[in-house]
Amino acid sequence: MTAKKKRPTLQDVADRVGITKMTVSRYLKKPEQVSIALHEKIQSALDELGYIPNKVPDMLSSAKSHAIGVLVPSLTNQVFSEVIRGFESVTEPAGYQTMLAHYGYSQSAEEARIATLLGYNVDGLILSESAHTERVRRMIKTAGVPVIEMMDSVSPAIEQAIGFDNSAASFAMTELMISRGHHNIVYFAARMDARTRLKIQGYEQAMRKHNLEPFSLQTEEASSFTRGALLLRQALQQRPSLDGIFCTNDDLAIGAFYECQRQGIPVPEQIGIAGFHGHDISGAMVPRLATVVTPREEMGRLAAENLLSRLQGKPVTERVIDLPFRLEAGESLRPES
Amino acid sequence: MTAKKKRPTLQDVADRVGITKMTVSRYLKKPEQVSIALHEKIQSALDELGYIPNKVPDMLSSAKSHAIGVLVPSLTNQVFSEVIRGFESVTEPAGYQTMLAHYGYSQSAEEARIATLLGYNVDGLILSESAHTERVRRMIKTAGVPVIEMMDSVSPAIEQAIGFDNSAASFAMTELMISRGHHNIVYFAARMDARTRLKIQGYEQAMRKHNLEPFSLQTEEASSFTRGALLLRQALQQRPSLDGIFCTNDDLAIGAFYECQRQGIPVPEQIGIAGFHGHDISGAMVPRLATVVTPREEMGRLAAENLLSRLQGKPVTERVIDLPFRLEAGESLRPES
DNA sequence: GAAATTTCTGTTACGCGTAACATATTACCT
DNA sequence: AGGTAATATGTTACGCGTAACAGAAATTTC
């Protein structure tokens, strides 16, 4: 076969039945408006030709694409997979397709991705960041699509933010560590994004409040178990007297814990370790990891619900939705005295 | 403001400069064909109006969407994040947008997702499965877009498969375990997809070859660390004499390991444990986990390269690309004797 | 059985960027 | 200057599903 058969259109289906494409279109959208006599004929023509609905023409006619653009900094980060799961648990039953893109924590990459997504006429946008370039704000305004920022509850939001208070969460965990007798606490950070900075702030505030000297180690690399181990070795060199590690996420914390094991450092007796987010593994490992349990799925779900509501023309109800977090002490901190 | 301003079109930009949209279109695509005198004027009109390129009209004109649909069974599964990273490392520089969708290991959901993606006129499809419904095969054929199946190297592929030999990998690891003195090996599986079945096959073949009795535990639930712990408890009840655990992925293996720790079962002395895929954590933990290291990023990269080549009209070179895997013995198996 | 109503199908126009072709303008050459 | 070539811009048509309106057919009503 040399002639490349192109995919069938409504017209092809209509021709085969001997009607107009309008009737076929109706059969697909509002079958009750089409005579029963035609149903079978149309259906078999659809089947025989293998018609695949095409959303594009309708997208062009200024109608809706029924696609929502979701931007996350990273796919490998477990956190976002869970947020997305929550998000899609709402959008998918509602018939919206997710267009997922990631930008590797880079603002300029975020800008490029947003332009691309808007180029596909997404009906709305979910962002995972609260800091954006000026052009991003322009584009969003010009495109006129609803936007929700996730992951943090700082204001002012572009339109609406749904998240939790990263700084307060970090403050609370630091105080818990201090109350458990860990005073020389080092903070481990990777990939310095806006949220990480907020977490460090909370940590530093708590340390200062208790007249302790904050000290944080940062790396530009992505966080991973291996990275946590590296940071621990580095920290032991720079602060041999440390007795606590607070990590910006569970991966680093667990990596640091393994390194302690390798070096024969007892946890939590000599060093207490805390993570952030409360992934499945933090509760499964031995000892269970102290961590801040964050509302990941709920965040995604709420973002979806609010976005859908706004797509139906309803106004923004709350500009900032601040979800609660929870501290889990695990067994990687010294016991309560 | 009551009147909802809609997003500017090329015509709006052209009007502002006093030219036709065609010239503006050319300025964006082939600026060298537009007189220098106009460049500045057009650019400032674009900036002032905040024009956002719109791909949809061109998609309609049977041109290409420059989007590729990627289907994975699950986003929370680390494996696929890494495959996607490899994939996008090629497609993104080439100017292709990924439309990611997941189907929770369900064939009918896969079918629905494929229909949706084709509705957005994706230029190509990447699937993570080799078993499909008949309708899926029909749709793909009718749509006439190139398709690549990832994750396994079984033939026959719809058009082209890129992966590794799941069954052989499983066979090899089972033999390694046996050679290390683990003979009463139980296989842990979650979510019975086609790949898992292949892995079980390999395990069973190796067991039988050595006159050992295969025994596998399966669950419909998603795999997780917690799930690995549960399966271990279950296995100890049903096979108290077991001395080896081979898991369909690292998560289950690590969860099982933690449960051993909790129960005071020495690993690898009493029970040897092996996982599958070789994620970062498997090499970071103590003891390091025995695992099958699979070519995840490379698989994604190759899939992308082959798909792009076919989008340029080149023919399929190899119908099945079988990538090598590698065994990592770690310290969770008994030492070589 | 004719008018009124309901049900069903058809017609027309639209969205917007771009390929292909046509025209206009400028540059270049002898 | 006349003519050819090169450059720059404009014109037209197209893709395909659907809303809005129009018209035709069937059904109901008295």
Side-chain angles (χ1 to χ4, degrees):
Chain A
M1 181 174 313
T2 44
K4 202 169 166 188
K5 53 174 180 269
K6 72 178 201 321
R7 98 188 205 183
T9 69
L10 277 191
Q11 186 65 61
D12 297 327
V13 178
D15 289 348
R16 176 170 274 247
V17 183
I19 54 179
T20 61
K21 59 182 178 172
M22 197 60 228
T23 304
V24 184
S25 171
R26 268 192 284 255
Y27 170 77
L28 291 170
K29 298 275 162 181
K30 303 165 182 169
E32 73 280 1
Q33 292 188 6
V34 175
S35 66
I36 305 292
L38 280 177
H39 280 215
E40 204 184 331
K41 286 185 191 172
I42 297 177
Q43 187 59 55
S44 55
L46 286 168
D47 290 342
E48 281 161 36
L49 291 173
Y51 176 75
I52 304 166
N54 185 357
K55 272 192 171 349
V56 175
D58 200 28
M59 286 163 76
L60 180 57
S61 302
S62 80
K64 298 303 175 184
S65 64
H66 267 232
I68 294 171
V70 177
L71 269 158
V72 297
S74 150
L75 280 176
T76 26
N77 191 330
Q78 181 84 355
V79 174
F80 297 102
S81 323
E82 296 181 24
V83 173
I84 292 166
R85 181 162 50 181
F87 183 79
E88 298 203 322
S89 74
V90 173
T91 53
E92 208 244 289
Y96 280 87
Q97 164 72 18
T98 312
M99 289 189 72
L100 194 57
H102 54 111
Y103 52 91
Y105 297 91
S106 138
Q107 276 203 356
S108 61
E110 190 200 32
E111 182 179 303
R113 295 295 168 287
I114 291 177
T116 306
L117 288 174
L118 291 175
Y120 288 103
N121 283 7
V122 292
D123 293 344
L125 276 177
I126 302 283
L127 309 180
S128 304
E129 216 72 50
S130 302
H132 310 283
T133 63
E134 190 45 47
R135 223 173 82 84
V136 163
R137 291 169 178 279
R138 274 288 304 286
M139 280 197 292
I140 286 168
K141 209 174 154 197
T142 312
V145 300
V147 179
I148 290 179
E149 291 154 287
M150 293 190 307
M151 302 307 295
D152 198 20
S153 56
V154 285
S155 33
I158 297 184
E159 295 174 359
Q160 190 173 30
I162 298 176
F164 59 93
D165 190 330
N166 281 273
S167 166
S170 198
F171 184 91
M173 178 52 90
T174 308
E175 283 212 306
L176 175 63
M177 293 181 79
I178 293 169
S179 80
R180 293 297 183 85
H182 303 282
H183 291 161
N184 202 339
I185 305 171
V186 177
Y187 192 94
F188 284 8
R191 282 275 169 71
M192 289 300 291
D193 62 350
R195 275 184 304 281
T196 308
R197 272 188 289 274
L198 285 168
K199 290 187 209 166
I200 291 183
Q201 255 174 43
Y203 154 77
E204 291 182 342
Q205 277 166 19
M207 291 294 276
R208 293 221 184 79
K209 176 179 163 194
H210 293 270
N211 288 312
L212 300 169
E213 193 197 344
F215 179 69
S216 54
L217 279 184
Q218 299 160 13
T219 167
E220 274 312 299
E221 308 296 316
S223 70
S224 64
F225 299 99
T226 311
R227 186 64 48 187
L230 284 171
L231 284 173
L232 186 84
R233 288 204 287 278
Q234 210 178 316
L236 285 173
Q237 276 200 337
Q238 297 184 30
R239 279 231 164 174
S241 59
L242 70 89
D243 68 356
I245 301 287
F246 183 17
C247 299
T248 214
N249 62 42
D250 288 348
D251 291 13
L252 288 182
I254 293 169
F257 166 72
Y258 288 140
E259 186 62 22
C260 287
Q261 275 194 304
R262 261 189 295 272
Q263 302 205 7
I265 298 169
V267 173
E269 293 76 12
Q270 184 177 335
I271 297 182
I273 300 182
F276 205 105
H277 278 311
H279 291 296
D280 178 49
I281 189 173
S282 70
M285 66 187 283
V286 180
R288 281 180 299 157
L289 181 70
T291 192
V292 180
V293 182
T294 54
R296 299 180 296 285
E297 288 215 35
E298 197 187 358
M299 207 159 37
R301 214 166 41 240
L302 277 176
E305 283 165 4
N306 277 273
L307 194 68
L308 291 188
S309 136
R310 285 167 56 195
L311 285 175
Q312 283 156 22
K314 293 181 194 143
V316 174
T317 47
E318 302 162 84
R319 276 188 67 99
V320 175
I321 297 179
D322 185 24
L323 299 173
F325 54 85
R326 184 167 58 76
L327 295 187
E328 187 65 65
E331 293 124 14
S332 66
L333 299 181
R334 293 176 192 150
E336 279 180 283
S337 52
Chain B
M1 182 174 313
T2 44
K4 202 167 166 189
K5 52 176 181 268
K6 73 177 201 323
R7 101 188 205 182
T9 68
L10 277 191
Q11 186 66 61
D12 297 326
V13 178
D15 289 348
R16 177 170 271 246
V17 183
I19 53 179
T20 61
K21 59 181 178 172
M22 197 59 227
T23 305
V24 184
S25 171
R26 268 192 283 254
Y27 170 77
L28 291 171
K29 299 276 162 181
K30 302 165 184 169
E32 73 281 2
Q33 292 188 6
V34 175
S35 66
I36 304 292
L38 279 177
H39 279 214
E40 205 184 331
K41 287 185 191 173
I42 297 177
Q43 186 57 55
S44 55
L46 286 167
D47 290 343
E48 282 161 36
L49 291 173
Y51 176 75
I52 303 166
N54 185 357
K55 272 190 171 346
V56 174
D58 199 29
M59 285 163 77
L60 180 56
S61 301
S62 80
K64 297 302 174 185
S65 64
H66 267 232
I68 294 171
V70 178
L71 270 160
V72 297
S74 151
L75 281 176
T76 26
N77 191 331
Q78 182 84 357
V79 175
F80 297 102
S81 322
E82 297 181 24
V83 173
I84 292 166
R85 182 162 49 182
F87 183 79
E88 297 203 322
S89 73
V90 173
T91 52
E92 208 243 289
Y96 280 87
Q97 164 71 19
T98 313
M99 289 189 75
L100 194 57
H102 54 111
Y103 52 90
Y105 297 91
S106 137
Q107 276 203 356
S108 62
E110 189 201 32
E111 181 179 304
R113 295 295 168 286
I114 289 176
T116 307
L117 289 174
L118 291 175
Y120 288 102
N121 283 9
V122 293
D123 293 344
L125 276 178
I126 301 284
L127 308 180
S128 305
E129 215 74 50
S130 303
H132 310 283
T133 63
E134 190 45 47
R135 224 174 80 84
V136 162
R137 293 170 177 278
R138 272 291 302 288
M139 279 198 291
I140 286 168
K141 209 173 156 198
T142 313
V145 299
V147 179
I148 289 178
E149 292 154 286
M150 293 190 306
M151 301 309 295
D152 197 21
S153 53
V154 285
S155 32
I158 298 184
E159 295 174 358
Q160 188 173 32
I162 298 177
F164 57 93
D165 189 331
N166 281 273
S167 167
S170 198
F171 184 91
M173 176 55 88
T174 307
E175 284 213 305
L176 175 63
M177 293 182 77
I178 293 169
S179 80
R180 293 297 185 86
H182 303 281
H183 292 159
N184 203 338
I185 305 171
V186 178
Y187 193 93
F188 284 8
R191 284 273 170 69
M192 290 301 290
D193 61 351
R195 274 182 306 280
T196 308
R197 271 187 290 274
L198 285 168
K199 290 186 209 167
I200 291 182
Q201 255 174 44
Y203 153 78
E204 291 182 344
Q205 278 165 18
M207 291 294 276
R208 293 220 186 79
K209 174 177 165 198
H210 294 268
N211 289 311
L212 300 169
E213 193 197 342
F215 179 68
S216 53
L217 279 183
Q218 299 161 12
T219 166
E220 273 313 298
E221 308 297 314
S223 70
S224 65
F225 300 98
T226 311
R227 185 65 46 189
L230 283 172
L231 284 173
L232 185 83
R233 288 204 287 277
Q234 210 178 312
L236 285 172
Q237 277 199 337
Q238 298 186 30
R239 280 231 165 173
S241 60
L242 70 90
D243 68 355
I245 301 287
F246 182 17
C247 299
T248 214
N249 61 42
D250 289 347
D251 290 14
L252 287 183
I254 294 169
F257 166 71
Y258 288 138
E259 186 61 21
C260 286
Q261 275 195 306
R262 261 190 295 274
Q263 302 204 8
I265 298 170
V267 173
E269 292 76 13
Q270 184 176 336
I271 297 182
I273 299 182
F276 205 105
H277 278 312
H279 291 296
D280 179 49
I281 189 172
S282 70
M285 68 187 282
V286 181
R288 282 179 299 157
L289 181 70
T291 191
V292 180
V293 182
T294 54
R296 300 180 295 284
E297 288 214 35
E298 196 187 358
M299 208 160 34
R301 215 166 41 239
L302 277 176
E305 283 164 4
N306 277 273
L307 193 69
L308 291 189
S309 135
R310 284 168 57 195
L311 285 175
Q312 283 156 23
K314 295 179 193 144
V316 174
T317 48
E318 302 164 83
R319 275 186 69 98
V320 175
I321 297 179
D322 184 24
L323 298 173
F325 55 85
R326 185 167 58 76
L327 295 188
E328 187 67 65
E331 292 123 16
S332 66
L333 298 182
R334 292 176 193 151
E336 280 179 282
S337 51

